[in-house]
Amino acid sequence: MRRTLSRLLATLCLLWQAEALAIPLLDLVDIEGVRENQLIGYGLVVGLDGTGDKNQVKFTNQSVANMLKQFGVNLPPNVDPKLKNVAAVSVTASVPPSYSAGQTVDVTVSSLGDAKSLRGGLLLMTPLQGVDGEVYALAQGNLVVGGLHAQGQSGSSVSINSANSGLIPNGATIERMIPSDFAQRPDVMLNVRKPSFQTATQVMNAVNQRFGSGTATALDGTKVSVRAPVSLAQRTSFMAMLEGMEVQEGRTRPKVVFNSRTGTVVVGQGVRVKAAAVAHGTLTVTISENPQVSQPGPFSNGTTAVTPQSDVSVSQDKKPMFKWPEGTSLESIINTVNSLGATPDDVMSILQALEQAGALNAELVVI
């Protein structure tokens, strides 16, 4: 009876762990053909309070002259309009998948010239093109600028964030749908975000268990091909069921990420170390200058001289060697490092040395 109860408890623990590790399918994979598309355009922001591009930015004046020609206004040749309230900008937008004509998206506007600020500006109608050079949206509207730039007559200035870029909420209107071959494909291709043969196999097994054997085929560690209905309505329902599935993620190599600029160290779950002994000391060199002034005697016609005098001292902190046992977990590593009072730079040095010694079961990533 006790053995049966123990087995039952062990089985329940395994089922609980499996359920706890299961995550939504769409957190593991991307659907090929269903993605955002980037658009870009070149436009003009007007209505600036003297903070636009200066005369050195020739393409701004040329763009204004070309725009005025469209309205029947021709400037005399070799005449510089000397505009101060206009700035040339780049306009970018990201269009979600399957967006149709009439829907709107946010646009980001950034200065191309030497404009001081885009605050209070209005973006004139700007066509937004895709990678194929076709126009898919039109952007226009008032900018929302979160930054601030102020300058006095003496040249002193104060800046808060960036005033040379802004956002236009719902500032672009989709004019035509970006084509996609998702509906025409005989199958649905699932791309694993973190390539892993275990994850691809888990996805294949979960789909086949739900929809029948042979529905999904793992092509490699990144791609899983899934047979889907041809009818658009049925395919949409099929994709909705895929979205609701939960799959266990395969094991991936744990990572330790260093940010050398900020000194940030992130140790991922699953990091283990082999048996190793570590000693980490700090060498400090201190140089102090105490210059001495030598005064000449009275009526000696001598000159005052400064004699440099340097004191150099070298000290090294003595820290005991510590040992990590085989298979030390992340919690033990953190507790050991914290007990030594190590700085993030010390942690980087220790983990890099462990990796070089072959004692760290993780991938080091430096950003």
Side-chain angles (χ1 to χ4, degrees):
M1 181 67 180
R2 291 183 178 179
R3 291 183 179 180
T4 304
L5 182 60
S6 299
R7 291 177 182 177
L8 179 59
L9 291 175
T11 304
L12 291 176
C13 290
L14 292 175
L15 291 176
W16 178 83
Q17 291 178 357
E19 184 178 356
L21 294 176
I23 59 178
L25 176 62
L26 291 188
D27 289 346
L28 294 175
V29 301
D30 291 318
I31 303 173
E32 191 171 308
V34 180
R35 63 179 182 86
E36 293 185 343
N37 290 273
Q38 309 300 321
L39 303 179
I40 189 171
Y42 169 82
L44 294 173
V45 171
V46 299
L48 303 176
D49 189 12
T51 60
D53 292 336
K54 297 180 181 179
N55 295 329
Q56 290 83 348
V57 184
K58 301 300 180 182
F59 55 83
T60 302
N61 295 336
Q62 182 180 355
S63 300
V64 173
N66 294 336
M67 182 190 67
L68 292 177
K69 286 182 181 179
Q70 299 178 5
F71 296 97
V73 179
N74 294 321
L75 297 177
N78 300 326
V79 172
D80 188 356
K82 296 182 179 180
L83 304 172
K84 295 182 179 180
N85 299 336
V86 183
V89 295
S90 65
V91 185
T92 58
S94 181
V95 181
S98 303
Y99 257 41
S100 302
Q103 293 184 280
T104 58
V105 294
D106 299 341
V107 296
T108 302
V109 181
S110 303
S111 173
L112 291 174
D114 57 359
K116 297 179 181 179
S117 174
L118 299 181
R119 180 178 291 272
L122 168 69
L123 175 69
L124 298 180
M125 183 181 295
T126 303
L128 302 181
Q129 302 176 353
V131 67
D132 56 358
E134 299 292 334
V135 176
Y136 291 97
L138 294 177
Q140 183 171 281
N142 295 303
L143 272 71
V144 178
V145 179
L148 175 65
H149 178 85
Q151 183 174 356
Q153 296 181 355
S154 63
S156 302
S157 62
V158 175
S159 297
I160 301 176
N161 297 328
S162 176
N164 289 328
S165 62
L167 179 72
I168 305 178
N170 300 321
T173 303
I174 305 300
E175 295 299 321
R176 60 172 175 168
M177 183 177 177
I178 299 178
S180 173
D181 61 347
F182 171 75
Q184 288 75 31
R185 292 187 177 188
D187 57 357
V188 174
M189 191 67 68
L190 304 180
N191 296 327
V192 181
R193 295 180 180 177
K194 296 180 180 178
S196 168
F197 289 100
Q198 291 184 1
T199 302
T201 303
Q202 295 282 12
V203 171
M204 179 188 68
N205 293 336
V207 174
N208 288 336
Q209 185 178 1
R210 175 72 179 275
F211 299 101
S213 178
T215 303
T217 303
L219 303 181
D220 51 33
T222 303
K223 294 183 178 295
V224 178
S225 177
V226 180
R227 292 192 295 115
V230 179
S231 171
L232 293 180
Q234 293 180 356
R235 176 166 292 200
T236 301
S237 301
F238 178 76
M239 295 305 300
M241 288 187 285
L242 283 181
E243 289 180 349
M245 292 182 54
E246 292 189 349
V247 182
Q248 295 183 25
E249 183 179 11
R251 183 186 181 278
T252 58
R253 189 180 183 188
K255 295 183 180 181
V256 178
V257 181
F258 299 148
N259 190 326
S260 57
R261 295 183 298 274
T262 62
T264 303
V265 181
V266 178
V267 182
Q269 182 65 32
V271 175
R272 295 286 189 274
V273 295
K274 299 179 182 178
V278 179
H280 183 72
T282 303
L283 184 67
T284 304
V285 178
T286 304
I287 301 176
S288 59
E289 298 289 346
N290 297 312
Q292 302 294 326
V293 179
S294 176
Q295 293 285 356
F299 307 105
S300 62
N301 296 326
T303 58
T304 302
V306 178
T307 304
Q309 183 176 355
S310 302
D311 294 332
V312 180
S313 62
V314 179
S315 62
Q316 186 173 11
D317 295 341
K318 295 181 180 180
K319 295 183 179 179
M321 176 176 287
F322 59 91
K323 178 182 178 181
W324 272 318
E326 180 75 23
T328 300
S329 63
L330 172 60
E331 183 179 1
S332 299
I333 295 174
I334 293 175
N335 292 336
T336 304
V337 172
N338 288 338
S339 65
L340 297 174
T343 64
D345 291 337
D346 295 331
V347 176
M348 289 184 188
S349 301
I350 293 173
L351 293 179
Q352 286 175 351
L354 286 172
E355 196 270 341
Q356 291 294 325
L360 182 65
N361 182 24
E363 178 184 356
L364 296 183
V365 179
V366 181
I367 59 176

